[in-house]
């Protein structure tokens, strides 16, 4: 018998035999707790000339960090004080801890607004309204978490991407770490548990492999089309630059002329991200740092990349564009977003080309070439796959892709760029039987 069960049995025995009065004991305990809560209250209690009773309570959302309350009697005022401290002592549910963690992370600058919004979307999609969401975080067990993860995979039935599932696992881990370390709540440590949870690949949405990169013949078609018809189009030249450097489209849009360094090097140090304002409306933000810390680095430019860069600089000179953004053009309204959305009229200097414009240009080009429509991001994957296929050192490829881990480079960005005929031809080079017949 556990110690708690033994105590309960003793109390039941004492009550049955008239040794103690449980009802009276409960009242005494409540009164004792009430006195403890009132002792914690450091603000003055006073009665106004109108007969009402007043005091202040802490309020983090108020400029003065406090709020005044009033009640018709002192007893009712003390009741309100007691309820206030009871609520403060209550162990929050998982969902409440998640909201607090989100606010804490944003205010401390640990995450960008874009990451904040993605977390919120993942929480709403996978966790909100679940049993775990409604449970006090100190009462959630390791079994509860495993059952929850199993249920998510079951609910989505192979229609959840592995990356989205991993983001959701990180969200759970972060919430528990915040509760344990920052809030000092006695809850379980989930990092190792969630890290060791490894579902079958069959439970995830399988990407269409042939759409992950552009095949060799498609790359040739893209290059020929742009060099013959769109050599004077900054939008299309941007696509070629992505193909020859592997930069992300948000990084491409925010490249500035002074990012290009002597010796054929490029410093990537900013990007475009998406964030929601207080009304929930999304805005695109020019961030002064790229997607991840490792993304802020210097990469080397190939001869092809330098050729595109030189053509862009030539067009800028011919069109009189002096904008600091490399990929600029005239004739559009210019929107710059920093902390707050700001509309700036177009000037003679020209405007930067937004990431969404590049993506639409890529999709339109695919339609023109009558090949499967894909996003700009597939140019980045194509660049990575081509480098690895050429036998270039994994360390060099990792540096060019700016990944913290080579496993990310090989696991998520390496796909075959060969068509079926090319694959068969390569395999047949190893024939031993048919060549002798």
């Amino acid at each position: 018998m556990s110690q708690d069960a033994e105590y309960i049995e003793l109390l039941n025995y004492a009550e049955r035999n008239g040794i103690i009065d449980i009802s009276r004991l409960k009242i005494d305990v409540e009164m004792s707790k009430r006195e403890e809560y009132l002792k914690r209250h450091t603000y003055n209690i006073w009665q106004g000339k109108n007969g009402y009773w007043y005091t202040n309570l802490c309020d983090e959302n108020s400029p003065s960090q406090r709020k005044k309350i009033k009640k018709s009697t002192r007893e009712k005022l003390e009741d309100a004080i007691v309820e206030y401290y009871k609520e403060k002592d209550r162990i929050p549910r998982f969902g409440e801890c998640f909201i607090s963690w989100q606010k804490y992370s944003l205010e401390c600058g640990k995450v960008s607004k874009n990451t904040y919004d993605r977390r919120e979307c993942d929480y709403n999609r996978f966790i909100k309204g679940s049993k775990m969401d409604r449970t006090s975080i100190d009462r959630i067990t390791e079994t509860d978490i495993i059952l929850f993860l199993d249920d998510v995979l079951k609910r989505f039935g192979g229609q959840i991407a592995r990356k989205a599932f991993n983001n959701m696992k990180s969200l759970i881990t972060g919430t528990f770490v915040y509760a344990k370390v920052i809030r000092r709540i006695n809850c379980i440590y989930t990092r190792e548990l969630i890290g060791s949870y490894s579902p079958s690949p069959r439970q995830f949405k399988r990407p269409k492999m042939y759409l992950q990169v552009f095949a060799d013949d498609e790359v040739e078609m893209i290059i020929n089309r742009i060099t013959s018809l769109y050599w004077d189009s900054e939008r299309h030249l941007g696509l070629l630059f992505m193909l020859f450097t592997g930069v992300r489209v948000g990084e491409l849009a925010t490249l500035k002329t002074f990012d290009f360094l002597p010796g054929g090097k490029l410093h990537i140090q900013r990007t475009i991200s998406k964030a929601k304002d207080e009304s929930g409306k999304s805005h695109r933000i020019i961030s002064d740092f790229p997607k991840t810390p490792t993304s802020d680095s210097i990469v080397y430019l190939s001869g092809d990349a330098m050729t595109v860069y030189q053509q862009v600089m030539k067009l800028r000179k011919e069109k009189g564009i002096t904008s600091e953004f490399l990929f600029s053009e005239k004739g559009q309204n210019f929107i710059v977003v920093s902390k707050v959305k700001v509309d700036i009229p177009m000037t003679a200097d020209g405007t930067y080309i937004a990431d969404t414009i590049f993506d639409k240009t890529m999709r339109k080009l695919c339609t023109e070439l009558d090949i499967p429509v894909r996003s700009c991001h597939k140019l980045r994957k194509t660049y990575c796959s081509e480098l690895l296929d050429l036998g270039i050192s994994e360390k060099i490829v990792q540096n060019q892709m700016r990944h913290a881990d080579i496993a990310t480079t090989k696991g998520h960005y390496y796909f075959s760029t060969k068509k079926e005929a090319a694959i068969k031809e390569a395999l047949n080079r190893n024939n031993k039987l048919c060549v002798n017949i």
Side-chain angles (χ1 to χ4, degrees):
M1 181 183 295
S2 68
Q3 194 174 42
D4 288 343
E6 186 178 354
Y7 287 154
I8 292 173
E9 185 178 340
L10 286 172
L11 284 173
N12 289 334
Y13 176 83
E15 183 185 21
R16 286 195 305 269
N17 291 276
I19 298 173
I20 60 172
D21 182 348
I22 294 294
S23 298
R24 182 67 244 176
L25 180 62
K26 287 175 66 176
I27 293 173
D28 291 342
V29 169
E30 286 299 321
M31 290 299 296
S32 178
K33 286 183 177 180
R34 181 182 176 88
E35 290 301 318
E36 288 179 8
Y37 285 131
L38 291 174
K39 285 179 181 178
R40 287 171 56 182
H41 188 64
T42 57
Y43 288 106
N44 291 331
I45 296 175
W46 73 94
Q47 187 177 24
K49 294 179 180 180
N50 57 3
Y52 282 92
W53 288 83
Y54 295 86
T55 192
N56 288 299
L57 297 175
C58 292
D59 183 6
E60 296 178 355
N61 298 319
S62 171
S64 64
Q65 298 291 296
R66 63 182 182 180
K67 66 177 180 180
K68 185 189 293 186
I69 63 170
K70 72 172 184 177
K71 297 293 179 182
S72 57
T73 66
R74 184 182 181 105
E75 183 179 3
K76 289 182 178 179
L77 186 70
E78 290 181 349
D79 288 343
I81 294 171
V82 169
E83 287 303 314
Y84 169 79
Y85 286 105
K86 277 186 178 180
E87 181 62 23
K88 287 199 69 171
D89 288 350
R90 183 180 64 82
I91 301 297
R93 295 183 287 271
F94 177 90
E96 293 170 322
C97 265
F98 166 74
I99 293 171
S100 297
W101 173 54
Q102 280 274 78
K103 182 180 178 182
Y104 171 80
S105 300
L106 191 62
E107 289 178 346
C108 292
K110 292 179 178 290
V111 298
S112 65
K113 187 60 168 61
N114 185 45
T115 301
Y116 176 97
D117 292 337
R118 177 183 55 76
R119 281 180 183 170
E120 186 174 39
C121 287
D122 289 341
Y123 167 76
N124 291 335
R125 182 185 180 193
F126 299 115
I127 302 175
K128 189 174 183 179
S130 66
K131 179 181 177 182
M132 188 176 78
D133 183 44
R134 303 189 304 269
T135 302
S136 295
I137 199 164
D138 65 324
R139 294 183 176 275
I140 298 175
T141 65
E142 293 185 347
T143 301
D144 292 330
I145 292 176
I146 297 299
L147 291 176
F148 170 77
L149 295 176
D150 287 342
D151 182 64
V152 169
L153 292 172
K154 181 180 178 182
R155 276 191 284 133
F156 284 86
Q159 294 304 307
I160 178 176
R162 182 183 290 274
K163 184 176 182 180
F165 187 75
N166 288 338
N167 286 340
M168 185 264 296
K169 290 202 301 180
S170 297
L171 183 157
I172 295 173
T173 299
T175 301
F176 272 92
V177 168
Y178 167 79
K180 194 173 189 68
V181 176
I182 305 300
R183 295 288 298 272
R184 304 290 183 180
I185 297 172
N186 185 24
C187 57
I188 61 174
Y189 186 70
T190 61
R191 192 181 297 278
E192 291 183 7
L193 171 70
I194 290 181
S196 64
Y197 183 88
S198 182
S200 167
R202 291 177 295 179
Q203 295 178 278
F204 295 110
K205 183 178 181 180
R206 299 181 65 183
K208 296 179 180 178
M209 307 301 282
Y210 70 95
L211 293 179
Q212 294 303 304
V213 292
F214 290 95
D216 289 343
D217 60 333
E218 293 174 327
V219 170
E220 186 176 353
M221 293 168 66
I222 290 171
I223 294 173
N224 290 339
R225 188 77 167 189
I226 294 177
T227 54
S228 60
L229 295 182
Y230 300 117
W231 197 235
D232 60 348
S233 166
E234 291 88 344
R235 299 183 183 191
H236 290 83
L237 288 172
L239 302 182
L240 274 189
F241 195 77
M242 282 193 70
L243 180 63
F244 297 145
T245 60
V247 298
R248 299 178 178 91
V249 66
E251 296 165 345
L252 177 79
T254 55
L255 285 177
K256 297 185 178 182
T257 53
F258 56 77
D259 293 331
F260 290 79
L261 308 175
K265 293 184 286 189
L266 172 64
H267 185 191
I268 299 172
Q269 52 187 319
R270 71 191 69 80
T271 190
I272 290 180
S273 57
K274 187 170 68 173
K276 295 180 181 179
D277 59 20
E278 294 180 356
S279 66
K281 185 177 180 180
S282 294
H283 298 290
R284 308 195 89 70
I285 300 173
I286 297 179
S287 302
D288 290 330
F289 47 86
K291 183 179 179 182
T292 63
T294 54
S295 295
D296 187 343
S297 61
I298 293 175
V299 298
Y300 295 90
L301 300 177
S302 65
D304 284 341
M306 287 301 299
T307 298
V308 175
Y309 166 70
Q310 289 163 2
Q311 175 63 12
V312 173
M313 294 301 289
K314 178 183 175 182
L315 290 176
R316 287 168 58 89
K317 185 176 180 180
E318 291 175 354
K319 297 178 181 180
I321 296 176
T322 58
S323 167
E324 61 181 356
F325 291 100
L326 176 68
F327 291 97
S328 304
E329 62 185 6
K330 295 183 178 181
Q332 289 181 298
N333 288 329
F334 186 22
I335 299 179
V336 172
V337 184
S338 52
K339 295 295 182 182
V340 182
K341 182 174 178 294
V342 181
D343 295 297
I344 301 180
M346 185 194 65
T347 67
D349 291 340
T351 71
Y352 86 106
I353 303 173
D355 55 331
T356 51
I357 298 297
F358 282 118
D359 206 57
K360 289 177 181 178
T361 304
M362 182 72 256
R363 295 174 186 276
K364 184 178 179 181
L365 184 61
C366 288
T367 302
E368 287 180 24
L369 297 173
D370 196 24
I371 61 177
V373 175
R374 276 155 282 184
S375 67
C376 283
H377 192 60
K378 301 305 184 285
L379 293 171
R380 175 170 165 81
K381 290 187 175 183
T382 301
Y383 173 76
C384 176
S385 299
E386 288 183 334
L387 293 185
L388 290 171
D389 280 341
L390 287 170
I392 294 175
S393 164
E394 290 182 356
K395 192 64 179 176
I396 293 176
V397 179
Q398 180 185 351
N399 177 75
Q400 291 294 103
M401 296 300 291
R402 291 162 291 118
H403 287 150
D405 190 346
I406 188 62
T408 301
T409 309
K410 297 176 68 176
H412 299 286
Y413 286 80
Y414 184 33
F415 299 88
S416 175
T417 60
K418 307 299 180 185
K419 283 289 188 180
E420 182 178 337
I423 294 173
K424 288 183 178 179
E425 180 185 353
L427 292 174
N428 283 330
R429 291 174 194 161
N430 194 40
N431 284 342
K432 295 178 177 63
L433 180 62
C434 64
V435 296
N436 296 319
I437 297 177

